[in-house]
Amino acid sequence: MVIDAAAALRHCEADRLTWDGVSSVGEVPLGDGAALMKVLRRPASTFDNSIRPVDRLAPSFHPKEEFMDTPMAVVKRAYQAFGRRDIEAVLECIAPTVDWRIVGPASLPFPTQCRTRQEVGQFFKELVADGEITVFEPREFIDANEHIVVLGFVRVILRETGKPFESEWVHICTVKDGLVTRWIEFFDTAARLTA
């Protein structure tokens, strides 16, 4: 016989558990069934005050924290949107005023520095015009509070020459108030210019 976890919770009294006189040991799935809770099934009279009610064993839930965008969540949402080619969704993650830079020569065929969300939108238009991105792989996200470092790889077929270009890259992002306020990219710019 398996005890209904909801019914068990209803029978919690102060610091004592009451299980309606059932006596054996079993397991009750919690939530999505990923975790299991050992449930003592024995008469309530055998419990002492050292046993805590089930509701005290559950992790605390803070609605404000649950729905708050962490810097990591903001950055991952932006990269997922870029992977879908949804530039509007990427721009929704960018602050109105931003420090957006590519470390490299000004001779790159797209802007290497942007200061506003609109300029970042223009950056993406020129980036897409430069070539067809055939592989875009953010491979690792490193969390440092409001700073997120992303390591990845890109392969592009350049529109001008038809030649492929590929490079590993590093992006350094800063997120404040749920928006990206800084994005700096490092990649093999010399290989891009000679492709």
Side-chain angles (χ1 to χ4, degrees):
M1 177 176 173
V2 174
I3 295 174
D4 179 344
L9 284 172
R10 286 192 300 270
H11 293 307
C12 288
E13 298 176 346
D15 286 326
R16 296 179 62 90
L17 297 174
T18 59
W19 299 101
D20 295 332
V22 181
S23 62
S24 66
V25 176
E27 294 181 342
V28 175
L30 293 178
D32 63 356
L36 294 177
M37 173 183 70
K38 294 278 184 195
V39 176
L40 293 175
R41 296 189 199 161
R42 60 184 188 206
S45 61
T46 64
F47 288 105
D48 61 26
N49 287 335
S50 65
I51 306 234
R52 297 182 299 162
V54 175
D55 59 343
R56 288 194 190 169
L57 298 176
S60 61
F61 176 75
H62 300 286
K64 186 175 181 181
E65 291 175 9
E66 185 74 16
F67 299 105
M68 209 165 87
D69 272 342
T70 64
M72 181 65 79
V74 171
V75 170
K76 283 187 174 183
R77 187 169 58 245
Y79 280 79
Q80 289 166 350
F82 184 76
R84 296 188 311 268
R85 310 294 194 257
D86 185 352
I87 302 307
E88 288 303 313
V90 174
L91 294 175
E92 289 173 6
C93 299
I94 308 296
T97 301
V98 64
D99 177 14
W100 188 277
R101 293 181 278 147
I102 296 175
V103 177
S107 57
L108 287 169
F110 37 80
T112 57
Q113 189 163 0
C114 303
R115 294 286 178 203
T116 67
R117 183 184 293 147
Q118 291 77 20
E119 290 176 358
V120 173
Q122 185 61 35
F123 162 82
F124 281 117
K125 286 179 185 174
E126 293 181 32
L127 182 69
V128 169
D130 182 50
E132 178 188 352
I133 298 172
T134 58
V135 177
F136 176 74
E137 296 176 351
R139 294 179 172 170
E140 186 173 353
F141 292 80
I142 303 166
D143 191 341
N145 299 316
E146 69 181 16
H147 307 288
I148 306 296
V149 177
V150 187
L151 308 177
F153 174 82
V154 67
R155 181 176 298 126
V156 179
I157 303 297
L158 300 175
R159 295 201 196 288
E160 185 178 352
T161 64
K163 292 182 181 179
F165 158 73
E166 60 184 47
S167 175
E168 291 183 316
W169 47 257
V170 176
H171 296 167
I172 302 169
C173 308
T174 301
V175 177
K176 292 183 180 174
D177 298 323
L179 295 171
V180 174
T181 59
R182 182 177 70 160
W183 180 87
I184 302 173
E185 179 178 48
F186 298 85
F187 73 100
D188 188 351
T189 56
R192 164 57 194 88
L193 291 173
T194 58

PDB file of all heavy atoms in Angstrom, residues 66-84:
ATOM      1  N   GLU A  66      12.131  32.721  -7.999  1.00  0.00           N
ATOM      2  CA  GLU A  66      11.796  31.707  -8.994  1.00  0.00           C
ATOM      3  C   GLU A  66      11.632  32.322 -10.380  1.00  0.00           C
ATOM      4  O   GLU A  66      11.979  31.721 -11.379  1.00  0.00           O
ATOM      5  CB  GLU A  66      10.511  30.994  -8.568  1.00  0.00           C
ATOM      6  CG  GLU A  66      10.126  29.846  -9.451  1.00  0.00           C
ATOM      7  CD  GLU A  66      11.001  28.624  -9.261  1.00  0.00           C
ATOM      8  OE1 GLU A  66      11.713  28.537  -8.255  1.00  0.00           O
ATOM      9  OE2 GLU A  66      10.957  27.762 -10.134  1.00  0.00           O
ATOM     10  N   PHE A  67      11.079  33.531 -10.462  1.00  0.00           N
ATOM     11  CA  PHE A  67      10.777  34.130 -11.751  1.00  0.00           C
ATOM     12  C   PHE A  67      11.750  35.241 -12.135  1.00  0.00           C
ATOM     13  O   PHE A  67      11.609  35.853 -13.169  1.00  0.00           O
ATOM     14  CB  PHE A  67       9.336  34.656 -11.749  1.00  0.00           C
ATOM     15  CG  PHE A  67       8.347  33.557 -11.532  1.00  0.00           C
ATOM     16  CD1 PHE A  67       7.702  33.409 -10.321  1.00  0.00           C
ATOM     17  CD2 PHE A  67       8.100  32.637 -12.535  1.00  0.00           C
ATOM     18  CE1 PHE A  67       6.812  32.377 -10.121  1.00  0.00           C
ATOM     19  CE2 PHE A  67       7.204  31.612 -12.335  1.00  0.00           C
ATOM     20  CZ  PHE A  67       6.564  31.475 -11.122  1.00  0.00           C
ATOM     21  N   MET A  68      12.739  35.487 -11.303  1.00  0.00           N
ATOM     22  CA  MET A  68      13.702  36.527 -11.580  1.00  0.00           C
ATOM     23  C   MET A  68      14.691  36.038 -12.638  1.00  0.00           C
ATOM     24  O   MET A  68      15.153  34.904 -12.581  1.00  0.00           O
ATOM     25  CB  MET A  68      14.443  36.880 -10.290  1.00  0.00           C
ATOM     26  CG  MET A  68      14.915  38.292 -10.237  1.00  0.00           C
ATOM     27  SD  MET A  68      15.362  38.703  -8.551  1.00  0.00           S
ATOM     28  CE  MET A  68      17.045  38.168  -8.522  1.00  0.00           C
ATOM     29  N   ASP A  69      15.003  36.890 -13.604  1.00  0.00           N
ATOM     30  CA  ASP A  69      15.980  36.529 -14.622  1.00  0.00           C
ATOM     31  C   ASP A  69      17.384  36.655 -14.054  1.00  0.00           C
ATOM     32  O   ASP A  69      17.814  37.741 -13.687  1.00  0.00           O
ATOM     33  CB  ASP A  69      15.848  37.456 -15.833  1.00  0.00           C
ATOM     34  CG  ASP A  69      14.854  36.957 -16.846  1.00  0.00           C
ATOM     35  OD1 ASP A  69      14.515  35.765 -16.812  1.00  0.00           O
ATOM     36  OD2 ASP A  69      14.425  37.760 -17.678  1.00  0.00           O
ATOM     37  N   THR A  70      18.087  35.568 -13.979  1.00  0.00           N
ATOM     38  CA  THR A  70      19.484  35.611 -13.567  1.00  0.00           C
ATOM     39  C   THR A  70      20.305  36.058 -14.774  1.00  0.00           C
ATOM     40  O   THR A  70      19.865  35.906 -15.924  1.00  0.00           O
ATOM     41  CB  THR A  70      19.963  34.228 -13.109  1.00  0.00           C
ATOM     42  OG1 THR A  70      19.908  33.337 -14.234  1.00  0.00           O
ATOM     43  CG2 THR A  70      19.124  33.691 -11.961  1.00  0.00           C
ATOM     44  N   PRO A  71      21.500  36.571 -14.563  1.00  0.00           N
ATOM     45  CA  PRO A  71      22.349  36.918 -15.712  1.00  0.00           C
ATOM     46  C   PRO A  71      22.555  35.731 -16.659  1.00  0.00           C
ATOM     47  O   PRO A  71      22.501  35.893 -17.874  1.00  0.00           O
ATOM     48  CB  PRO A  71      23.652  37.366 -15.050  1.00  0.00           C
ATOM     49  CG  PRO A  71      23.200  37.960 -13.751  1.00  0.00           C
ATOM     50  CD  PRO A  71      22.084  37.045 -13.298  1.00  0.00           C
ATOM     51  N   MET A  72      22.751  34.536 -16.101  1.00  0.00           N
ATOM     52  CA  MET A  72      22.935  33.357 -16.944  1.00  0.00           C
ATOM     53  C   MET A  72      21.691  33.095 -17.799  1.00  0.00           C
ATOM     54  O   MET A  72      21.797  32.796 -18.995  1.00  0.00           O
ATOM     55  CB  MET A  72      23.252  32.132 -16.077  1.00  0.00           C
ATOM     56  CG  MET A  72      23.492  30.867 -16.886  1.00  0.00           C
ATOM     57  SD  MET A  72      24.957  30.931 -17.935  1.00  0.00           S
ATOM     58  CE  MET A  72      26.227  30.621 -16.738  1.00  0.00           C
ATOM     59  N   ALA A  73      20.507  33.215 -17.208  1.00  0.00           N
ATOM     60  CA  ALA A  73      19.268  32.979 -17.957  1.00  0.00           C
ATOM     61  C   ALA A  73      19.106  33.986 -19.089  1.00  0.00           C
ATOM     62  O   ALA A  73      18.691  33.633 -20.199  1.00  0.00           O
ATOM     63  CB  ALA A  73      18.069  33.028 -17.012  1.00  0.00           C
ATOM     64  N   VAL A  74      19.439  35.246 -18.831  1.00  0.00           N
ATOM     65  CA  VAL A  74      19.334  36.290 -19.856  1.00  0.00           C
ATOM     66  C   VAL A  74      20.273  35.974 -21.022  1.00  0.00           C
ATOM     67  O   VAL A  74      19.873  36.010 -22.195  1.00  0.00           O
ATOM     68  CB  VAL A  74      19.656  37.688 -19.260  1.00  0.00           C
ATOM     69  CG1 VAL A  74      19.763  38.731 -20.368  1.00  0.00           C
ATOM     70  CG2 VAL A  74      18.601  38.079 -18.245  1.00  0.00           C
ATOM     71  N   VAL A  75      21.516  35.650 -20.705  1.00  0.00           N
ATOM     72  CA  VAL A  75      22.501  35.367 -21.758  1.00  0.00           C
ATOM     73  C   VAL A  75      22.098  34.126 -22.545  1.00  0.00           C
ATOM     74  O   VAL A  75      22.125  34.126 -23.784  1.00  0.00           O
ATOM     75  CB  VAL A  75      23.917  35.233 -21.153  1.00  0.00           C
ATOM     76  CG1 VAL A  75      24.910  34.701 -22.179  1.00  0.00           C
ATOM     77  CG2 VAL A  75      24.381  36.581 -20.607  1.00  0.00           C
ATOM     78  N   LYS A  76      21.698  33.068 -21.869  1.00  0.00           N
ATOM     79  CA  LYS A  76      21.298  31.850 -22.586  1.00  0.00           C
ATOM     80  C   LYS A  76      20.080  32.107 -23.472  1.00  0.00           C
ATOM     81  O   LYS A  76      20.002  31.587 -24.587  1.00  0.00           O
ATOM     82  CB  LYS A  76      21.023  30.712 -21.603  1.00  0.00           C
ATOM     83  CG  LYS A  76      22.295  30.098 -21.080  1.00  0.00           C
ATOM     84  CD  LYS A  76      22.015  28.869 -20.243  1.00  0.00           C
ATOM     85  CE  LYS A  76      23.309  28.181 -19.858  1.00  0.00           C
ATOM     86  NZ  LYS A  76      23.078  26.944 -19.101  1.00  0.00           N
ATOM     87  N   ARG A  77      19.138  32.911 -22.997  1.00  0.00           N
ATOM     88  CA  ARG A  77      17.963  33.243 -23.811  1.00  0.00           C
ATOM     89  C   ARG A  77      18.394  33.982 -25.085  1.00  0.00           C
ATOM     90  O   ARG A  77      17.893  33.702 -26.173  1.00  0.00           O
ATOM     91  CB  ARG A  77      16.974  34.078 -22.998  1.00  0.00           C
ATOM     92  CG  ARG A  77      15.670  34.310 -23.718  1.00  0.00           C
ATOM     93  CD  ARG A  77      14.584  34.900 -22.848  1.00  0.00           C
ATOM     94  NE  ARG A  77      14.973  36.178 -22.263  1.00  0.00           N
ATOM     95  CZ  ARG A  77      15.129  36.395 -20.959  1.00  0.00           C
ATOM     96  NH1 ARG A  77      14.914  35.431 -20.086  1.00  0.00           N
ATOM     97  NH2 ARG A  77      15.473  37.591 -20.504  1.00  0.00           N
ATOM     98  N   ALA A  78      19.351  34.902 -24.959  1.00  0.00           N
ATOM     99  CA  ALA A  78      19.836  35.632 -26.130  1.00  0.00           C
ATOM    100  C   ALA A  78      20.515  34.686 -27.129  1.00  0.00           C
ATOM    101  O   ALA A  78      20.272  34.769 -28.337  1.00  0.00           O
ATOM    102  CB  ALA A  78      20.797  36.737 -25.699  1.00  0.00           C
ATOM    103  N   TYR A  79      21.341  33.765 -26.639  1.00  0.00           N
ATOM    104  CA  TYR A  79      22.038  32.839 -27.534  1.00  0.00           C
ATOM    105  C   TYR A  79      21.063  31.856 -28.176  1.00  0.00           C
ATOM    106  O   TYR A  79      21.219  31.500 -29.347  1.00  0.00           O
ATOM    107  CB  TYR A  79      23.152  32.101 -26.786  1.00  0.00           C
ATOM    108  CG  TYR A  79      24.393  32.956 -26.651  1.00  0.00           C
ATOM    109  CD1 TYR A  79      24.474  33.946 -25.676  1.00  0.00           C
ATOM    110  CD2 TYR A  79      25.469  32.801 -27.513  1.00  0.00           C
ATOM    111  CE1 TYR A  79      25.586  34.750 -25.561  1.00  0.00           C
ATOM    112  CE2 TYR A  79      26.597  33.606 -27.413  1.00  0.00           C
ATOM    113  CZ  TYR A  79      26.638  34.588 -26.429  1.00  0.00           C
ATOM    114  OH  TYR A  79      27.744  35.386 -26.335  1.00  0.00           O
ATOM    115  N   GLN A  80      20.070  31.417 -27.432  1.00  0.00           N
ATOM    116  CA  GLN A  80      19.055  30.541 -28.025  1.00  0.00           C
ATOM    117  C   GLN A  80      18.303  31.270 -29.132  1.00  0.00           C
ATOM    118  O   GLN A  80      18.032  30.709 -30.192  1.00  0.00           O
ATOM    119  CB  GLN A  80      18.098  30.037 -26.949  1.00  0.00           C
ATOM    120  CG  GLN A  80      18.732  29.040 -26.011  1.00  0.00           C
ATOM    121  CD  GLN A  80      17.902  28.790 -24.762  1.00  0.00           C
ATOM    122  OE1 GLN A  80      16.934  29.486 -24.475  1.00  0.00           O
ATOM    123  NE2 GLN A  80      18.296  27.784 -23.994  1.00  0.00           N
ATOM    124  N   ALA A  81      17.974  32.539 -28.893  1.00  0.00           N
ATOM    125  CA  ALA A  81      17.276  33.327 -29.912  1.00  0.00           C
ATOM    126  C   ALA A  81      18.157  33.489 -31.152  1.00  0.00           C
ATOM    127  O   ALA A  81      17.678  33.344 -32.283  1.00  0.00           O
ATOM    128  CB  ALA A  81      16.888  34.696 -29.340  1.00  0.00           C
ATOM    129  N   PHE A  82      19.444  33.769 -30.966  1.00  0.00           N
ATOM    130  CA  PHE A  82      20.341  33.900 -32.115  1.00  0.00           C
ATOM    131  C   PHE A  82      20.429  32.578 -32.875  1.00  0.00           C
ATOM    132  O   PHE A  82      20.442  32.564 -34.105  1.00  0.00           O
ATOM    133  CB  PHE A  82      21.735  34.363 -31.688  1.00  0.00           C
ATOM    134  CG  PHE A  82      22.639  34.600 -32.856  1.00  0.00           C
ATOM    135  CD1 PHE A  82      22.499  35.738 -33.627  1.00  0.00           C
ATOM    136  CD2 PHE A  82      23.612  33.678 -33.199  1.00  0.00           C
ATOM    137  CE1 PHE A  82      23.328  35.957 -34.741  1.00  0.00           C
ATOM    138  CE2 PHE A  82      24.441  33.886 -34.293  1.00  0.00           C
ATOM    139  CZ  PHE A  82      24.298  35.027 -35.066  1.00  0.00           C
ATOM    140  N   GLY A  83      20.472  31.473 -32.150  1.00  0.00           N
ATOM    141  CA  GLY A  83      20.502  30.157 -32.790  1.00  0.00           C
ATOM    142  C   GLY A  83      19.265  29.896 -33.642  1.00  0.00           C
ATOM    143  O   GLY A  83      19.339  29.180 -34.643  1.00  0.00           O
ATOM    144  N   ARG A  84      18.126  30.500 -33.270  1.00  0.00           N
ATOM    145  CA  ARG A  84      16.879  30.382 -34.053  1.00  0.00           C
ATOM    146  C   ARG A  84      16.806  31.446 -35.147  1.00  0.00           C
ATOM    147  O   ARG A  84      15.821  31.527 -35.867  1.00  0.00           O
ATOM    148  CB  ARG A  84      15.651  30.559 -33.154  1.00  0.00           C
ATOM    149  CG  ARG A  84      15.439  29.545 -32.093  1.00  0.00           C
ATOM    150  CD  ARG A  84      14.072  29.739 -31.403  1.00  0.00           C
ATOM    151  NE  ARG A  84      13.798  31.104 -30.976  1.00  0.00           N
ATOM    152  CZ  ARG A  84      14.090  31.602 -29.763  1.00  0.00           C
ATOM    153  NH1 ARG A  84      14.691  30.843 -28.871  1.00  0.00           N
ATOM    154  NH2 ARG A  84      13.779  32.849 -29.458  1.00  0.00           N
TER     155      ARG A  84
END
